[in-house]
Amino acid sequence: MSTTIAAISTPPGAGGLAVIRISGDEAIHIAKQMFRPMNGTPVSEMEGYTCAYGTFYDGDTALDDGVLTVFRAPRSYTGEDTAELSCHGGHYISEQLLRAAFALGAVPAEAGEFTKRAFLAGKLSLTQAEAVMDLIAADGEASHRCARSLREGAVFRRIHAISDRLVTVLADLAAWADYPDEDDVPEVSHDALLEKLHGIRTDLAAAADTYDYGRILREGIHTVLCGRPNVGKSTVMNALSGFARSIVTDRAGTTRDVIEERVRIGDLVLRLADTAGLRDTTDEIEQLGVDLARQRIAEADLILAVFDGAEPLCDSDYALLDEIGGRKAIALVNKSDKGIRLDLSAVEAKIPHVLVVSAKTADIAQPLGDALKALFLNGAPDPQSGVVSNERQRLCLSRALEQVNEAIAAVSMGVPQDAVTVLLDEAANALLELTGERATGRVVDEVFARFCVGK
Ligand code: GDP
């Protein structure tokens, strides 16, 4: 018999409605003692997927009127009997109702426990359970589309198809190793094996490549705004974020620390860090800012390099161009209202996306949005084919990829097949861990620890 868990499933604070969810063998029995329906039908006789209006009680004290919805196992989110109490969304009412459920034998649900029970009941794969978190966190159309397809099992299907192929290769190898002299067990030819492994590697790498796209949609694009002092970085930042957060002055070197701002441009979110200008400085505090700027540039998804278009390029502009060369970057040649005196072709030689703008006098969000689309959304993977959604999934994929690469090297060098089998077994295990088909309790616990209570 499972314990019966209860939690408030709606966010804290006042609202139109709050929902208390109770799941487990005793859920209906507990709800029955907390609820008197208007229509007089006993709660114990309510069928699954039905609801009733009535009064919620804590013992003999009427707390609120509202709606009770009953779900009967196995046709519920968790697969267990479930009662959902929808009451007025005040903090006091929902807390009192939750306490009443505890007094009647329910225990507090842990973070993600409703979804964990759904996973353990086989209602969701591990990646589909993770999608529940992504759906809650989605803050734009594209991230929502990825989370929806993850929820519908796109990643599970994609990875499962690859692990099926690995398992077939393993079965062929095992049959050949066990019955090498049997006529009806075909020999696993070296070339055929290599061809299959190369195909698997290609598909694993393609799946792993979707991670960056998914991360960018979920977390936003980690962006560093850089350029020498006074070119207009703070002005750009303020223009994008809509209000003056950075300090804008005429004196060089006033933006000392790193300020981060989230700016939505179309379907993408920029996580914009405005940093101290990159230049050699003897000021110790400022040097800290410069070091941080270098580190941020090294780690960023995107570099927005600002130049003063009204002046010719100077040594530190060239140094910045050299530092950025080859990275994902957009050059903002600023102050176009003063006329352009900068050598545009020298900038274009290092940064293919160059926008001539005037952050102070004209809209920069529109041209920037177009450049961002070209950089991040062109050739983006189709969410329906499965976009890897988190670090756990990515790590499983990279483990599988590493083992398959080693197996390919081993086959090429003529290493005995049982050694190859060990490597491929490991690869298959990593994929089965990703889908949750062979995840340890620890892995499962870690996944659900990221959830909020009530989900
Ligand atoms: P930062 O040191 O790179 O952050 O530069 P600021 O944003 O503080 O700007 C330095 C100076 O350039 C300020 O006086 C701004 O008003 C001015 N400025 C910034 N952008 C423009 C622009 O597009 N046109 C003109 N004319 N001045 C600008």
Side-chain angles (χ1 to χ4, degrees):
M1 190 166 123
S2 71
T3 51
T4 297
I5 52 173
I8 301 168
S9 283
T10 37
L17 285 176
V19 173
I20 291 98
R21 207 187 226 175
I22 310 173
S23 177
D25 294 344
E26 291 298 306
I28 311 285
H29 183 64
I30 291 170
K32 179 176 172 228
Q33 298 170 76
M34 296 173 64
F35 182 71
R36 293 188 201 153
M38 277 281 276
N39 64 10
T41 308
V43 172
S44 51
E45 286 172 25
M46 284 174 71
E47 292 188 13
Y49 281 95
T50 61
C51 56
Y53 174 73
T55 309
F56 292 119
Y57 281 83
D58 175 11
D60 291 328
T61 312
L63 277 176
D64 194 13
D65 54 332
V67 173
L68 170 73
T69 311
V70 164
F71 303 87
R72 298 277 183 179
R75 297 184 59 219
S76 72
Y77 182 69
T78 55
E80 305 171 329
D81 279 350
T82 302
E84 287 184 2
L85 286 57
S86 304
C87 60
H88 289 106
H91 178 72
Y92 177 75
I93 300 170
S94 48
E95 282 290 333
Q96 287 306 111
L97 281 175
L98 185 63
R99 279 184 199 184
F102 292 157
L104 292 166
V107 298
E110 287 170 16
E113 196 171 355
F114 293 98
T115 310
K116 185 177 181 177
R117 288 186 176 204
F119 165 69
L120 294 175
K123 300 213 136 224
L124 300 169
S125 69
L126 201 56
T127 52
Q128 284 176 309
E130 285 171 317
V132 174
M133 273 301 277
D134 289 359
L135 271 174
I136 295 172
D139 65 353
E141 192 201 334
S143 55
H144 174 256
R145 242 184 296 128
C146 282
R148 270 303 299 165
S149 60
L150 184 65
R151 180 77 175 81
E152 285 159 5
V155 169
F156 178 86
R157 284 193 298 277
R158 181 175 194 151
I159 304 303
H160 193 74
I162 304 176
S163 72
D164 262 359
R165 279 156 57 202
L166 256 179
V167 170
T168 309
V169 170
L170 279 164
D172 290 349
L173 287 174
W176 170 244
D178 289 346
Y179 310 103
D181 301 325
E182 297 275 326
D183 285 345
D184 53 353
V185 176
E187 180 179 352
V188 182
S189 92
H190 180 266
D191 288 351
L193 180 59
L194 268 184
E195 194 186 321
K196 280 184 186 161
L197 292 182
H198 277 294
I200 289 171
R201 174 168 70 183
T202 304
D203 289 355
L204 281 174
D209 281 349
T210 64
Y211 172 76
D212 269 345
Y213 174 68
R215 181 178 62 78
I216 275 164
L217 291 183
R218 234 182 13 263
E219 293 176 10
I221 302 169
H222 289 273
T223 306
V224 163
L225 191 60
C226 59
R228 67 182 163 81
N230 252 9
V231 290
K233 296 182 297 298
S234 305
T235 311
V236 165
M237 178 110 164
N238 293 338
L240 290 176
S241 54
F243 51 94
R245 281 285 291 275
S246 310
I247 322 147
V248 182
T249 69
D250 273 328
R251 224 187 70 219
T254 41
T255 316
R256 283 185 168 165
D257 49 354
V258 176
I259 304 165
E260 196 184 84
E261 194 82 62
R262 288 174 73 96
V263 181
R264 170 168 290 284
I265 299 179
D267 219 9
L268 292 167
V269 170
L270 289 189
R271 296 179 62 166
L272 209 70
D274 175 12
T275 63
L278 278 179
R279 64 198 178 116
D280 293 328
T281 172
T282 45
D283 180 329
E284 215 178 297
I285 302 171
E286 200 171 294
Q287 183 59 47
L288 279 176
V290 174
D291 289 345
L292 204 53
R294 285 231 156 79
Q295 189 193 330
R296 287 249 172 172
I297 286 182
E299 293 167 358
D301 297 316
L302 171 71
I303 298 152
L304 276 187
V306 187
F307 300 89
D308 186 337
E311 293 175 7
L313 289 169
C314 67
D315 286 350
S316 50
D317 292 327
Y318 282 112
L320 179 61
L321 284 169
D322 281 343
E323 186 136 349
I324 292 174
R327 303 284 311 277
K328 257 191 185 156
I330 296 173
L332 293 175
V333 174
N334 193 29
K335 308 194 188 181
S336 62
D337 55 299
K338 289 166 86 178
I340 296 295
R341 307 230 321 271
L342 161 152
D343 177 4
L344 279 174
S345 59
V347 179
E348 278 161 354
K350 296 279 185 183
I351 305 178
H353 292 271
V354 178
L355 305 176
V356 177
V357 295
S358 167
K360 198 168 168 179
T361 63
D363 173 41
I364 58 170
Q366 172 75 40
L368 188 58
D370 293 342
L372 289 173
K373 254 195 215 157
L375 267 173
F376 290 95
L377 299 181
N378 276 357
D382 173 12
Q384 296 295 331
S385 65
V387 172
V388 168
S389 110
N390 58 40
E391 189 62 16
R392 184 192 75 80
Q393 297 173 8
R394 189 191 70 77
L395 280 174
C396 288
L397 269 180
S398 78
R399 258 169 53 210
L401 201 51
E402 211 173 288
Q403 302 296 326
V404 170
N405 275 331
E406 281 194 34
I408 288 173
V411 173
S412 309
M413 288 187 308
V415 169
Q417 283 192 353
D418 47 356
V420 175
T421 300
V422 172
L423 293 166
L424 295 182
D425 249 337
E426 265 304 302
N429 273 340
L431 297 184
L432 293 171
E433 181 177 319
L434 194 165
T435 56
E437 292 162 283
R438 206 184 284 165
T440 61
R442 186 183 54 78
V443 169
V444 172
D445 287 348
E446 266 173 30
V447 167
F448 290 100
R450 291 173 48 231
F451 276 59
C452 39
V453 171
K455 195 59 232 175

